Amino acid sequence: MSNNSVKSNNYLIDKNKFYKIKANIIGNSLIHISGFNKDYVEYNICVKTIYGKWTFKRTYNEFYKLNNKLVHKVPEIKDLFPPKRFFKNSENTIKERTKYFNNYFKYLFDKVNIFSFEDIINFFYIEKGIIGLIIKKYNMLKIGEENYI
């Protein structure tokens, strides 16, 4: 294991590489479905790279599905994911989840080689063109350039 490696696990990135991808929650909306008592929260997410910026919305359930796919491959994220709550749409729960999600994003983009997880790429709407540019810029050709360019 080299000194620059976080761990020998192939999903972690080199400590010296910084891909300049950031994501954070910039707001939320409580959605009410009349007659069904199925209110839910949509979290507004902003992703920024050196090549562009975009926003989109995701629900807790969508985060939960992503986490279930990743936690077996990246066990470190287990404690970063917000727990389920009985009062899931309370102001305190929404604030708590926002904090958890922002820490979750930070870990994914600072520590995990996201390019080896199609689920992450799809969840954050990272376009193949942007991935190709990042792979070329940071000389990440061993990651699978043929899949993303």
Side-chain angles (χ1 to χ4, degrees), residues 30-46:
L30 181 61
I31 308 299
H32 176 71
I33 300 176
S34 180
F36 287 100
N37 196 21
K38 293 258 186 188
D39 294 353
Y40 63 94
V41 177
E42 284 184 333
Y43 294 89
N44 302 322
I45 303 164
C46 180

Side-chain angles (χ1 to χ4, degrees), residues 4-68:
N4 293 337
S5 251
V6 177
K7 286 187 180 177
S8 63
N9 298 332
N10 63 3
Y11 62 82
L12 295 174
I13 62 172
D14 184 316
K15 280 185 181 179
N16 295 322
K17 294 211 183 219
F18 176 61
Y19 307 120
K20 296 190 179 181
I21 301 174
K22 297 286 182 198
N24 63 342
I25 305 243
I26 57 172
N28 60 67
S29 304
L30 181 61
I31 308 299
H32 176 71
I33 300 176
S34 180
F36 287 100
N37 196 21
K38 293 258 186 188
D39 294 353
Y40 63 94
V41 177
E42 284 184 333
Y43 294 89
N44 302 322
I45 303 164
C46 180
V47 177
K48 295 179 186 177
T49 73
I50 59 175
Y51 301 107
K53 170 179 143 178
W54 59 95
T55 60
F56 57 93
K57 297 176 182 183
R58 293 285 192 225
T59 65
Y60 178 87
N61 284 335
E62 290 171 307
F63 284 109
Y64 189 80
K65 288 175 186 174
L66 173 69
N67 189 63
N68 282 343

Side-chain angles (χ1 to χ4, degrees), residues 77-92:
I77 63 172
K78 179 183 176 192
D79 295 331
L80 297 174
F81 197 80
K84 289 195 171 205
R85 299 279 185 230
F86 186 71
F87 296 108
K88 60 186 177 185
N89 299 325
S90 74
E91 189 174 321
N92 287 338

Side-chain angles (χ1 to χ4, degrees), residues 68-119:
N68 282 343
K69 291 177 183 177
L70 297 178
V71 76
H72 303 294
K73 299 173 188 171
V74 186
E76 299 88 345
I77 63 172
K78 179 183 176 192
D79 295 331
L80 297 174
F81 197 80
K84 289 195 171 205
R85 299 279 185 230
F86 186 71
F87 296 108
K88 60 186 177 185
N89 299 325
S90 74
E91 189 174 321
N92 287 338
T93 299
I94 293 168
K95 284 181 184 177
E96 177 188 42
R97 284 181 174 175
T98 297
K99 182 179 174 183
Y100 270 92
F101 288 143
N102 284 331
N103 289 333
Y104 191 85
F105 299 160
K106 182 168 178 32
Y107 186 87
L108 285 179
F109 289 116
D110 288 354
K111 305 277 190 224
V112 175
N113 172 2
I114 64 160
F115 304 116
S116 59
F117 294 98
E118 193 170 335
D119 293 322

